[in-house]
Every structure is written in C-alpha cells, then in structure tokens.
C-alpha cells in the first residue's frame, strides 16, 4: 500500500469516526469519560506514537555518515553517537526541569513548538516555504479542540500546570484563541490558493478539522498523533533507510528497529507511575495526564530539533545521493 493510499484510508476513517462521535454527543447526548479517553491515548501512543521517535539515534547516525562522506567530519561515528545521546538526554532533562519549575511557560512553549512541528510535517505545509503558514496549519491540532471542547481541554491544561481550570478559559486566552483561529483559516486559504489541486490533501485536512471539532479531544489527539503524524513520519524514515524496498516492507523493517527505544520509553513511564503514582495530582487520571503529556514534551523537544535538522539536510541533499545502510 502506498503512502498516499494509507493517508486516504486514515483520512476517510477519521471522518467516519468523527461523525459517529458527533452524532452520539449532539444527537443522543452520549459522551466518553475522560479516563476512557486517556486509556485510548496511552494505548495508541505506546503502540504507534512512540515508534517514530524510537529511530532518532539511527537518523542521527545516518545524517553523520552523509557528513563523513562529504569529508566534513572531525570525529568518529562512535564519538558522535556518544555526544548525540548525551545531548539528547541533557536536552530532555532540561525540558523536564522547565516543567517542574515553570509549568505554564513550559506548556505554552510546548504547544507553540508542537504547532510548528505538526504543521511542518503535514503534506499541505510542505508545499510552502512559509513558517507562518506551517504554524497556522499545525495550530489546527491545538486550537480546534480548545474551541469545541473548551472545558475538557481546560481541565487537562490545569492538571499539567497545577492551576485552576478557570485560568484557562479567561478572556485573554479567548482572544488568543480567536487570533489562532484566524491564522488557521489564513494558512489553509494560502495553501489552497498557491498549489496544485490534490484531492488527498484536501481530504486529509478535512479529516483533521472534522476529527478535532467533533471527536473527544483526547481521542482526536490519539488518532492524529499515532495514525497520521507518527505513521507519516515513520513512512518517510522507512524510505530514508530503505529506498529500494517496497513501502510495506520498508515500514515494518523500520518499525522493528524502533522497538528497543520504544520499550525503554514505556518502561520509564511505568517507573514514573510506580514510584510517583500521583505526584502533585489529586487523582489517578490527573497523574496519567501528567505522565503522558509531560513525558511526550520531554521527548518531543530533542526529537523536533533532530527532525528540523534532518529536514534541512534532506532539502540540501541531491536526489541521487547514494543510500547508506546506517541501520545495520
């Protein structure tokens, strides 16, 4: 199955699921409890969401081999990997410390960088060099659930920052919400006017908007993060590592390579739950929210930096550059 077909299947499935949730909530007044939503998020992230970050060390290794081939390396690959892993860990630790000391600042920074990261990774945003447009498209993931599921999102933000829920529905944030919605609309308009008409892109964008508008916010995030963002990134990495293999074969080979670090991340999360079952939280669901999202933020910051460097190298590398088997 090609990447385009996978995106199409995901998009159509997401639209159907969103419509079902919308009908259940608005037609029959049936809503999904928050703890059930967190179970879905935890399962999807453990199975698929973490896997694309589990290849970061191999991405860094192959990027360095390309630099070696260009004779711009002054250290060995072994030395580079030690430096990379230490730097990755230190940056993750700094992010975790930021959450501990200034959780509101950490959340705002995390949301802003996530918006840009998601936007840059969407195929719609890749058709433009504008960082503003990319950020606007990525903001869809943040602002739509905040708009259509304000109370639930406010509760989650309050849990992550140890603040009151009312702080997240105040007037200044509603103004920021309105501005972000305008940016989302502007970004989508610019994209649609400045590129060729490709049906899958419109279907994909419609799926994201419908999902975050109608489905419970955590369910929508789980589907987007695991089945679109992580899967598309994994497909790109699979083609990066195995350019001569079929799409499905390359994907599963890359997925298996990601399992060791994925298991390490799950083990660390389990230890965090075991040794600090509640922390600053007042109940188990709040504790799960902190472990999932603060844990994601901790891993996401170094991951996003690596992806930005990788994307830059990809743009600068000639299309006929010989492939290196960096994953053996």
């Amino acid at each position: 199955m090609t990447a385009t077909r996978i995106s199409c299947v995901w998009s159509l499935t997401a639209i159907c699921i969103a419509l079902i949730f919308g009908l259940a909530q608005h037609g029959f007044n049936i809503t999904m409890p928050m703890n059930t939503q967190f179970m879905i998020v935890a399962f999807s992230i453990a199975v698929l969401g973490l896997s694309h970050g589990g290849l970061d060390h191999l991405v860094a290794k192959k990027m360095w081999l390309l630099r070696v081939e260009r004779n711009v390396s002054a250290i060995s690959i072994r030395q580079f990997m030690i430096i990379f892993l230490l730097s990755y860990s230190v940056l993750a630790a700094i992010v975790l410390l930021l959450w501990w000391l200034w959780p509101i600042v950490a959340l705002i920074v995390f949301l802003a960088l996530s918006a840009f990261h998601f936007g840059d990774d969407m195929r719609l945003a890749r058709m433009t060099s504008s960082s503003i447009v990319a950020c606007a498209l990525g903001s869809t993931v943040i602002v739509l659930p905040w708009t259509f599921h304000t109370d639930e999102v406010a509760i989650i933000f309050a849990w992550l920052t140890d603040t009151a829920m009312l702080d997240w529905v105040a007037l200044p944030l509603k103004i920021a919400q309105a501005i972000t919605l305008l940016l989302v609309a502007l970004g989508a308009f610019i994209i649609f006017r400045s590129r060729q008409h490709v049906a899958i892109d419109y279907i994909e964008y419609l799926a994201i908007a419908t999902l975050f508008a109608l489905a419970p916010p955590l369910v929508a995030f789980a589907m987007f993060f695991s089945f679109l963002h992580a899967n598309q990134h994994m497909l790109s990495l699979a083609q990066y590592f195995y350019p001569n293999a079929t799409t499905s074969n390359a994907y599963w080979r890359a997925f298996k390579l990601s399992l060791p670090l994925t298991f390490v991340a799950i083990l660390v999360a389990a230890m965090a739950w075991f040794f600090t079952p509640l922390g600053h939280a007042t109940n188990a669901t709040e504790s799960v929210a902190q472990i999932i999202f603060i844990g994601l933020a901790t891993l996401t910051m170094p991951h996003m930096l690596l992806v930005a460097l990788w994307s830059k190298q990809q743009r600068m590398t000639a299309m006929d550059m010989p492939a290196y088997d960096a994953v053996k």
Side-chain angles (χ1 to χ4, degrees):
M1 183 178 290
T2 65
T4 300
R5 187 172 297 179
I6 291 173
S7 295
C8 186
V9 170
W10 179 92
S11 299
L12 294 176
T13 302
I15 291 174
C16 292
I17 291 175
L19 292 175
I20 291 172
F21 274 113
L23 178 63
Q25 180 173 353
H26 300 290
F28 298 95
N29 198 28
I30 300 174
T31 59
M32 180 178 288
M34 188 77 79
N35 56 352
T36 304
Q37 294 185 48
F38 271 111
M39 291 176 60
I40 294 173
V41 170
F43 178 78
S44 65
I45 290 177
V47 174
L48 290 174
L50 291 174
S51 59
H52 73 299
L55 293 170
D56 281 356
H57 63 302
L58 299 179
V59 173
K61 181 179 179 181
K62 184 168 181 178
M63 288 173 62
W64 191 256
L65 289 176
L66 292 176
R67 291 178 61 86
V68 171
E69 206 282 333
R70 294 178 180 179
N71 298 318
V72 294
S73 172
I75 60 176
S76 68
I77 184 63
R78 180 185 178 88
Q79 292 171 321
F80 167 75
M81 289 305 297
I82 292 174
I83 294 172
F84 168 78
L85 292 174
L86 285 175
S87 301
Y88 200 99
S89 301
V90 168
L91 182 54
I94 291 174
V95 174
L96 186 60
L97 181 63
L98 179 64
W99 275 95
W100 181 263
L101 297 176
W102 302 289
I104 295 178
V105 174
L107 177 61
I108 293 173
V109 171
F110 173 61
L111 292 177
L113 291 178
S114 296
F116 179 79
H117 179 61
F118 291 148
D120 190 55
D121 206 47
M122 290 181 191
R123 294 193 303 120
L124 282 168
R126 290 174 190 161
M127 304 309 295
T128 177
S129 59
S130 171
S131 298
I132 295 177
V133 172
C135 189
L137 289 170
S139 297
T140 305
V141 179
I142 310 273
V143 74
L144 287 186
W146 189 12
T147 301
F148 292 95
H149 309 278
T150 305
D151 290 343
E152 289 177 277
V153 174
I155 291 173
I156 296 170
F157 285 175
W159 286 346
L160 297 179
T161 57
D162 196 24
T163 57
M165 172 188 165
L166 292 177
D167 294 340
W168 294 100
V169 293
L171 180 60
L173 292 182
K174 288 185 177 295
I175 295 174
Q177 180 186 55
I179 294 173
T180 308
L181 280 171
L182 290 176
L183 287 176
V184 168
L186 177 62
F189 176 75
I190 293 174
I191 288 293
F192 294 159
R193 288 292 301 271
S194 63
R195 61 156 300 171
Q196 296 178 346
H197 297 278
V198 180
I200 182 57
D201 289 340
Y202 297 115
I203 295 174
E204 188 175 279
Y205 193 79
L206 175 63
I208 293 171
T210 306
L211 188 66
F212 280 99
L214 297 180
L218 292 173
V219 174
F221 173 78
M223 289 196 62
F224 167 80
F225 185 78
S226 299
F227 294 96
L228 178 65
H229 174 70
N231 255 341
Q232 285 192 349
H233 191 69
M234 182 65 79
L235 283 169
S236 298
L237 292 179
Q239 294 166 356
Y240 180 62
F241 288 130
Y242 307 108
N244 298 320
T246 62
T247 301
S248 58
N249 180 262
Y251 182 94
W252 288 113
R253 290 171 70 181
F255 180 79
K256 286 186 290 185
L257 287 171
S258 73
L259 292 179
L261 287 189
T262 299
F263 285 136
V264 170
I266 295 174
L267 178 61
V268 171
M271 292 175 62
W273 167 260
F274 180 78
F275 288 109
T276 57
L278 289 180
H280 295 297
T282 58
N283 57 67
T285 304
E286 183 176 349
S287 180
V288 169
Q290 293 173 351
I291 290 174
I292 290 177
F293 286 106
I294 296 178
L296 274 182
T298 301
L299 296 175
T300 294
M301 199 66 72
H303 169 72
M304 287 193 296
L305 180 59
L306 177 67
V307 170
L309 294 173
W310 175 64
S311 299
K312 182 178 180 180
Q313 187 189 70
Q314 287 290 90
R315 292 191 294 267
M316 296 176 63
T317 302
M319 295 299 295
D320 59 348
M321 178 70 69
Y324 294 86
D325 195 0
V327 297
K328 289 186 178 180

